[in-house]
Amino acid sequence: MTERTAPHISVRGVGKSYGGVSVLRGIDLDIAPGEVHALVGENGAGKSTLLKVLGGAVRADAGEVSFDGAVTTMTSPRDAIAQGVSLITQEGALVPAMTVLDNVVLGRWRARAGWVARGADRAVFDALLERTGFDIDPVARVKDLSTGAQQQVEVLRALARGARVIAFDEPTAVLTEHEKAGLLQLMRDLAAGGTTVLLVSHFLDEVLAVADRLTVLRDGDLVHTGDAAEQTPASLVRHMVGRQVDVLYPAPPPVPDDAPVLLEAVGLSRSTGPRPVHDVDLRVRAGEVLGIAGLVGSGRSELLHLLFGADAATAGTVSVDGTPITRPSPRAAMAAGVALVPESRKEQGLVLVRSIAENTALASLTARARAGFVRRRSERTAVEGVGRSTDVRAADPTAAVGALSGGNQQKVLFAKWLLREPRVLLVDEPTRGVDVAAKTQLHHLVVDLARQGRAVVVVSSELEEVLALSHRVLVLRHGRVVGEFGRDAPREAVVSLAFGDDEQPDEHPDEQTAPAERTSA
Amino acid sequence: MSTRTTAAPTSAASARPRSRPGGKVRDYGILVALVAIVVALSFSTDTFLTRQNLVNLLDQASVVGLLAIGATICILSGVFDLTASATLAVSAIVGVTVGQQVGVVGGFVAAVVAGAVLGMLTGTIVVKSRVNSFIGTLATSIIYRGMAVVITAGAIAYPLTDQAEQFGMLTWPSVFGLTSATVMFLVVAVAASLLVSSTTFGRRLYAVGGNAEAARLSGIRTDRVHIAAFTISGVCAALAGLILASRAGSAQSSMATGYDLNAIAAAVIGGTSILGGEGAVWRGVVGALLLTLIGNGFNLLGWDTTYLQVTTGGLILLAVTVDGVLRRRAR
């Protein structure tokens, strides 16, 4: 939109490699002040690396980056802060045990003779709240805040440091629909106020809704830069993968009328913990996909943990194929044929430092052991077989699983459980943080598992995904089932139920979405 | 396996297996360092490459080596065992005291049983109390030292006079002229290596150390794995205690004080990750040999042993720093 102004950020010939593998090559790019500029591409395309180069977190091997015409050499976060650049990453960089206020002024405490001047800090904070319209308690501990609020704290901190460039790496992946809309609006507001906003996101609708201009990367090369208004989700995907791909959701096949109920929960509750679950009844038949929708924090993951026995229920029972699990534990659930693909592959799913093969075999060790010794050949055959069927892309099964891309890690996680031939598969966030191609593959995988007669429960923050993949969708709010929809339910109805009647959902910027095809079963 | 799932349309762009260049250097760097010191000492002294010196060297390494094996197994599973040297003392004292009643061999068996029981107890305390293992075992080790004082009433425990010769059996020469202590150490090293690298228990050990929550959600009973790791550490400590007692002809409550940290140092020098989930038993063994070799080298070269500790500490720092640099570069 501001083509004629002198560029705020100018990138010339930037390249970066890690251990001989080149992840960025010859990037040239100009970004105007007050522009929202999005970087898109598949996982491994180099978009996050480029963002980190611009944000001062990663040092380029070649080329140069200029701010306002002056070439910079940022070698530390301290330099980046001095340049007015703030990088907001997925992991977050907050100190969980400290208060909101302390986090916002972290490293820049206003001090008098070495003593922290609380009043001055507080004044700065209040001014920022007024500017952004956020509503955050300054004395709350960051660890007690929702993910969305934590992100707001990071934005406040960036502003407190006088950031002129704020770079967001996948900011919405962990947010609710409501929080997403708020964040996108904030980006627009920041840009309108003259801040340059950089954004890396997998969500193309979101990118198109918020960005002025965008850059598409593919395998470390810049393949397109231009106005966002000229693009559609389909045209972006073409740029990203270099050809047209099928971004349609597969539809699950109809459930036979005589299909038995494989998973049943009655009155399942957990009254303790930060996110209690109350009195959930559910039944999933063989070949059926049950979706669970709800806001982040509505108890979705907690419900799956109860079904799997990973947390102890305070009331209620879980039955598999009519047999109640009497002493719930992951082992008992697994013995009954239940598998759980957990929400966070890094924290709950994979042992990142161990190999692909070891991770794949981890849930079924005794199946391929004699007298306690692992039969390596049998293990290798099994791992390679299931790796093929889930299309894990890895040259060497002995390589650490942490070195794989997000999509491949997720496939390894699925492979681990498929090796057990589960009858009931619980899947929490099947495609979080994976690239477009892998996402489609995982969708097909879920549908195929249902076709094979397994009972599948899918939790996802992406409403499109959960509606498209499931036969039925349960909506959770504050740990209770508040409604059930068929697969043709209008998206708005599900969202408003998830939010509750007292709080209407905001308009979603992605109504034009719809590369999603949803045929009725 | 016949999981039939069709792959959807794919893109070649997502296929990017990343190798880890520099991985080989990092994997075997410590072995290179060990060989380099051996070669250097072989050329610079006439005495290093003699049969007697090598037998002595291995005999000296056996105590720290056994403790390092236990420490490695604990660290792999994500816990520290600071009770090892106290367990060593109590086990050795039990060995001597029980041996006075039932004979030397019976006493040795009792010592090993005591080590296993104490290890299991340590593990249970750590697991059930949910206290960080570093603090939990630190406190427990003080209790065990106290128990050693109580059992001996502060005195030195000797075997009966007619048992004294047999009690020294671990110092006797055995196959290839190696001491029995060395043979025991090597046998335990091979067994522990196999256990960790080739059994389902080993896989669980790595998984629990690498990501306890992922292991739990894969149906692994992480508590049991930790208790087993402490138990193995206890047995290793008891065997090390028997070697020390057999050499000295006695056991006492203050024996092997501070050896826990030597053992952890040996494990870490070898390249086992202090964060858990990465490493190997042979690494602990190599680390122990390296530590012993430094002292041996000082002696043979006639260097002033006043500087031995400074050098040892410096080398530990150097090894861990180089390891960290190589790891970061590999990333």
Side-chain angles (χ1 to χ4, degrees), chain A residues 241-266:
Chain A
V241 302
R243 63 188 167 87
Q244 186 91 44
V245 292
D246 180 11
V247 288
L248 304 182
Y249 284 97
V255 183
D257 290 336
D258 59 346
V261 172
L262 280 189
L263 177 71
E264 180 170 24
V266 179

mmCIF file of all heavy atoms in Angstrom, chain A residues 241-266:
data_model
loop_
_atom_site.group_PDB
_atom_site.id
_atom_site.type_symbol
_atom_site.label_atom_id
_atom_site.label_comp_id
_atom_site.label_asym_id
_atom_site.label_seq_id
_atom_site.Cartn_x
_atom_site.Cartn_y
_atom_site.Cartn_z
ATOM 1 N N VAL A 241 3.642 -24.600 -3.035
ATOM 2 C CA VAL A 241 4.054 -25.964 -3.380
ATOM 3 C C VAL A 241 4.490 -26.054 -4.836
ATOM 4 O O VAL A 241 4.975 -27.080 -5.272
ATOM 5 C CB VAL A 241 2.929 -26.988 -3.121
ATOM 6 C CG1 VAL A 241 2.515 -26.938 -1.673
ATOM 7 C CG2 VAL A 241 1.746 -26.751 -4.022
ATOM 8 N N GLY A 242 4.318 -24.968 -5.573
ATOM 9 C CA GLY A 242 4.777 -24.953 -6.942
ATOM 10 C C GLY A 242 3.814 -25.613 -7.907
ATOM 11 O O GLY A 242 4.087 -25.744 -9.075
ATOM 12 N N ARG A 243 2.702 -26.083 -7.396
ATOM 13 C CA ARG A 243 1.685 -26.654 -8.273
ATOM 14 C C ARG A 243 0.385 -26.713 -7.500
ATOM 15 O O ARG A 243 0.344 -26.500 -6.299
ATOM 16 C CB ARG A 243 2.094 -28.049 -8.741
ATOM 17 C CG ARG A 243 2.200 -29.027 -7.596
ATOM 18 C CD ARG A 243 2.795 -30.334 -8.056
ATOM 19 N NE ARG A 243 3.179 -31.141 -6.917
ATOM 20 C CZ ARG A 243 2.345 -31.959 -6.296
ATOM 21 N NH1 ARG A 243 1.124 -32.101 -6.698
ATOM 22 N NH2 ARG A 243 2.755 -32.643 -5.255
ATOM 23 N N GLN A 244 -0.662 -27.026 -8.186
ATOM 24 C CA GLN A 244 -1.970 -27.089 -7.536
ATOM 25 C C GLN A 244 -2.037 -28.321 -6.624
ATOM 26 O O GLN A 244 -1.677 -29.407 -7.032
ATOM 27 C CB GLN A 244 -3.048 -27.223 -8.621
ATOM 28 C CG GLN A 244 -4.465 -27.163 -8.125
ATOM 29 C CD GLN A 244 -4.997 -25.738 -8.136
ATOM 30 O OE1 GLN A 244 -4.783 -25.011 -9.097
ATOM 31 N NE2 GLN A 244 -5.666 -25.351 -7.081
ATOM 32 N N VAL A 245 -2.470 -28.135 -5.393
ATOM 33 C CA VAL A 245 -2.726 -29.335 -4.588
ATOM 34 C C VAL A 245 -4.179 -29.332 -4.152
ATOM 35 O O VAL A 245 -4.848 -28.314 -4.129
ATOM 36 C CB VAL A 245 -1.854 -29.411 -3.317
ATOM 37 C CG1 VAL A 245 -0.413 -29.611 -3.661
ATOM 38 C CG2 VAL A 245 -2.059 -28.210 -2.438
ATOM 39 N N ASP A 246 -4.580 -30.504 -3.794
ATOM 40 C CA ASP A 246 -5.954 -30.707 -3.360
ATOM 41 C C ASP A 246 -6.067 -30.264 -1.904
ATOM 42 O O ASP A 246 -5.521 -30.897 -1.016
ATOM 43 C CB ASP A 246 -6.250 -32.206 -3.504
ATOM 44 C CG ASP A 246 -7.646 -32.542 -3.079
ATOM 45 O OD1 ASP A 246 -8.444 -31.610 -2.871
ATOM 46 O OD2 ASP A 246 -7.942 -33.745 -2.965
ATOM 47 N N VAL A 247 -6.711 -29.144 -1.644
ATOM 48 C CA VAL A 247 -6.842 -28.696 -0.258
ATOM 49 C C VAL A 247 -8.222 -29.045 0.301
ATOM 50 O O VAL A 247 -8.643 -28.526 1.314
ATOM 51 C CB VAL A 247 -6.606 -27.173 -0.112
ATOM 52 C CG1 VAL A 247 -5.149 -26.871 -0.309
ATOM 53 C CG2 VAL A 247 -7.466 -26.385 -1.077
ATOM 54 N N LEU A 248 -8.927 -29.910 -0.399
ATOM 55 C CA LEU A 248 -10.256 -30.282 0.086
ATOM 56 C C LEU A 248 -10.136 -31.258 1.248
ATOM 57 O O LEU A 248 -9.231 -32.069 1.296
ATOM 58 C CB LEU A 248 -11.040 -30.939 -1.045
ATOM 59 C CG LEU A 248 -11.173 -30.101 -2.316
ATOM 60 C CD1 LEU A 248 -12.017 -30.842 -3.329
ATOM 61 C CD2 LEU A 248 -11.776 -28.752 -1.992
ATOM 62 N N TYR A 249 -11.073 -31.155 2.138
ATOM 63 C CA TYR A 249 -11.115 -32.126 3.231
ATOM 64 C C TYR A 249 -11.755 -33.418 2.714
ATOM 65 O O TYR A 249 -12.758 -33.358 2.007
ATOM 66 C CB TYR A 249 -11.980 -31.616 4.371
ATOM 67 C CG TYR A 249 -11.333 -30.557 5.206
ATOM 68 C CD1 TYR A 249 -11.590 -29.213 4.972
ATOM 69 C CD2 TYR A 249 -10.472 -30.902 6.234
ATOM 70 C CE1 TYR A 249 -11.006 -28.233 5.751
ATOM 71 C CE2 TYR A 249 -9.891 -29.926 7.012
ATOM 72 C CZ TYR A 249 -10.157 -28.590 6.777
ATOM 73 O OH TYR A 249 -9.576 -27.637 7.548
ATOM 74 N N PRO A 250 -11.194 -34.555 3.084
ATOM 75 C CA PRO A 250 -11.874 -35.797 2.730
ATOM 76 C C PRO A 250 -13.097 -35.974 3.636
ATOM 77 O O PRO A 250 -13.095 -35.510 4.773
ATOM 78 C CB PRO A 250 -10.827 -36.859 3.020
ATOM 79 C CG PRO A 250 -9.987 -36.272 4.099
ATOM 80 C CD PRO A 250 -9.993 -34.775 3.880
ATOM 81 N N ALA A 251 -14.114 -36.605 3.136
ATOM 82 C CA ALA A 251 -15.304 -36.841 3.959
ATOM 83 C C ALA A 251 -15.247 -38.257 4.515
ATOM 84 O O ALA A 251 -14.839 -39.179 3.819
ATOM 85 C CB ALA A 251 -16.558 -36.663 3.120
ATOM 86 N N PRO A 252 -15.607 -38.429 5.781
ATOM 87 C CA PRO A 252 -15.600 -39.782 6.332
ATOM 88 C C PRO A 252 -16.722 -40.603 5.714
ATOM 89 O O PRO A 252 -17.797 -40.067 5.442
ATOM 90 C CB PRO A 252 -15.837 -39.550 7.826
ATOM 91 C CG PRO A 252 -16.550 -38.251 7.909
ATOM 92 C CD PRO A 252 -16.079 -37.433 6.748
ATOM 93 N N PRO A 253 -16.480 -41.891 5.452
ATOM 94 C CA PRO A 253 -17.524 -42.722 4.859
ATOM 95 C C PRO A 253 -18.667 -42.931 5.851
ATOM 96 O O PRO A 253 -18.458 -42.850 7.058
ATOM 97 C CB PRO A 253 -16.807 -44.033 4.559
ATOM 98 C CG PRO A 253 -15.676 -44.080 5.523
ATOM 99 C CD PRO A 253 -15.266 -42.658 5.760
ATOM 100 N N PRO A 254 -19.868 -43.189 5.368
ATOM 101 C CA PRO A 254 -20.998 -43.377 6.275
ATOM 102 C C PRO A 254 -20.769 -44.551 7.234
ATOM 103 O O PRO A 254 -20.100 -45.526 6.873
ATOM 104 C CB PRO A 254 -22.182 -43.649 5.350
ATOM 105 C CG PRO A 254 -21.638 -43.746 3.980
ATOM 106 C CD PRO A 254 -20.228 -43.304 3.969
ATOM 107 N N VAL A 255 -21.324 -44.424 8.422
ATOM 108 C CA VAL A 255 -21.174 -45.491 9.419
ATOM 109 C C VAL A 255 -22.266 -46.530 9.154
ATOM 110 O O VAL A 255 -23.437 -46.168 9.036
ATOM 111 C CB VAL A 255 -21.336 -44.922 10.844
ATOM 112 C CG1 VAL A 255 -21.105 -46.003 11.880
ATOM 113 C CG2 VAL A 255 -20.414 -43.757 11.057
ATOM 114 N N PRO A 256 -21.900 -47.813 9.045
ATOM 115 C CA PRO A 256 -22.925 -48.840 8.849
ATOM 116 C C PRO A 256 -23.929 -48.826 10.002
ATOM 117 O O PRO A 256 -23.570 -48.546 11.148
ATOM 118 C CB PRO A 256 -22.131 -50.152 8.844
ATOM 119 C CG PRO A 256 -20.719 -49.762 8.610
ATOM 120 C CD PRO A 256 -20.560 -48.363 9.105
ATOM 121 N N ASP A 257 -25.192 -49.129 9.689
ATOM 122 C CA ASP A 257 -26.239 -49.081 10.708
ATOM 123 C C ASP A 257 -25.994 -50.047 11.855
ATOM 124 O O ASP A 257 -26.373 -49.793 12.997
ATOM 125 C CB ASP A 257 -27.598 -49.410 10.066
ATOM 126 C CG ASP A 257 -28.050 -48.271 9.155
ATOM 127 O OD1 ASP A 257 -27.596 -47.132 9.388
ATOM 128 O OD2 ASP A 257 -28.826 -48.527 8.220
ATOM 129 N N ASP A 258 -25.339 -51.173 11.531
ATOM 130 C CA ASP A 258 -25.162 -52.190 12.567
ATOM 131 C C ASP A 258 -23.816 -52.048 13.275
ATOM 132 O O ASP A 258 -23.407 -52.941 14.006
ATOM 133 C CB ASP A 258 -25.290 -53.585 11.946
ATOM 134 C CG ASP A 258 -24.249 -53.808 10.851
ATOM 135 O OD1 ASP A 258 -23.630 -52.805 10.412
ATOM 136 O OD2 ASP A 258 -24.049 -54.965 10.449
ATOM 137 N N ALA A 259 -23.121 -50.937 13.046
ATOM 138 C CA ALA A 259 -21.795 -50.787 13.674
ATOM 139 C C ALA A 259 -21.943 -50.736 15.193
ATOM 140 O O ALA A 259 -22.759 -49.974 15.719
ATOM 141 C CB ALA A 259 -21.123 -49.508 13.171
ATOM 142 N N PRO A 260 -21.159 -51.558 15.903
ATOM 143 C CA PRO A 260 -21.272 -51.588 17.364
ATOM 144 C C PRO A 260 -20.642 -50.341 18.000
ATOM 145 O O PRO A 260 -19.784 -49.705 17.409
ATOM 146 C CB PRO A 260 -20.488 -52.829 17.752
ATOM 147 C CG PRO A 260 -19.485 -52.988 16.663
ATOM 148 C CD PRO A 260 -20.146 -52.487 15.398
ATOM 149 N N VAL A 261 -21.097 -50.014 19.195
ATOM 150 C CA VAL A 261 -20.481 -48.920 19.955
ATOM 151 C C VAL A 261 -19.149 -49.423 20.502
ATOM 152 O O VAL A 261 -19.108 -50.419 21.225
ATOM 153 C CB VAL A 261 -21.401 -48.486 21.112
ATOM 154 C CG1 VAL A 261 -20.670 -47.492 22.017
ATOM 155 C CG2 VAL A 261 -22.677 -47.879 20.571
ATOM 156 N N LEU A 262 -18.060 -48.776 20.138
ATOM 157 C CA LEU A 262 -16.738 -49.203 20.612
ATOM 158 C C LEU A 262 -16.311 -48.442 21.858
ATOM 159 O O LEU A 262 -15.695 -48.998 22.752
ATOM 160 C CB LEU A 262 -15.688 -48.997 19.518
ATOM 161 C CG LEU A 262 -15.627 -50.061 18.425
ATOM 162 C CD1 LEU A 262 -14.391 -49.846 17.550
ATOM 163 C CD2 LEU A 262 -15.586 -51.457 19.024
ATOM 164 N N LEU A 263 -16.624 -47.169 21.896
ATOM 165 C CA LEU A 263 -16.211 -46.364 23.049
ATOM 166 C C LEU A 263 -17.430 -45.715 23.663
ATOM 167 O O LEU A 263 -18.249 -45.117 22.957
ATOM 168 C CB LEU A 263 -15.225 -45.274 22.599
ATOM 169 C CG LEU A 263 -14.772 -44.305 23.703
ATOM 170 C CD1 LEU A 263 -13.855 -44.999 24.693
ATOM 171 C CD2 LEU A 263 -14.066 -43.088 23.102
ATOM 172 N N GLU A 264 -17.556 -45.895 24.976
ATOM 173 C CA GLU A 264 -18.680 -45.269 25.653
ATOM 174 C C GLU A 264 -18.213 -44.676 26.969
ATOM 175 O O GLU A 264 -17.483 -45.313 27.723
ATOM 176 C CB GLU A 264 -19.789 -46.299 25.910
ATOM 177 C CG GLU A 264 -20.983 -45.685 26.625
ATOM 178 C CD GLU A 264 -22.187 -46.616 26.664
ATOM 179 O OE1 GLU A 264 -21.970 -47.845 26.566
ATOM 180 O OE2 GLU A 264 -23.317 -46.125 26.779
ATOM 181 N N ALA A 265 -18.618 -43.431 27.226
ATOM 182 C CA ALA A 265 -18.331 -42.813 28.514
ATOM 183 C C ALA A 265 -19.656 -42.431 29.150
ATOM 184 O O ALA A 265 -20.544 -41.934 28.465
ATOM 185 C CB ALA A 265 -17.460 -41.575 28.335
ATOM 186 N N VAL A 266 -19.763 -42.688 30.455
ATOM 187 C CA VAL A 266 -20.995 -42.347 31.163
ATOM 188 C C VAL A 266 -20.640 -41.505 32.388
ATOM 189 O O VAL A 266 -19.850 -41.933 33.230
ATOM 190 C CB VAL A 266 -21.754 -43.620 31.610
ATOM 191 C CG1 VAL A 266 -23.021 -43.230 32.373
ATOM 192 C CG2 VAL A 266 -22.098 -44.483 30.411
#
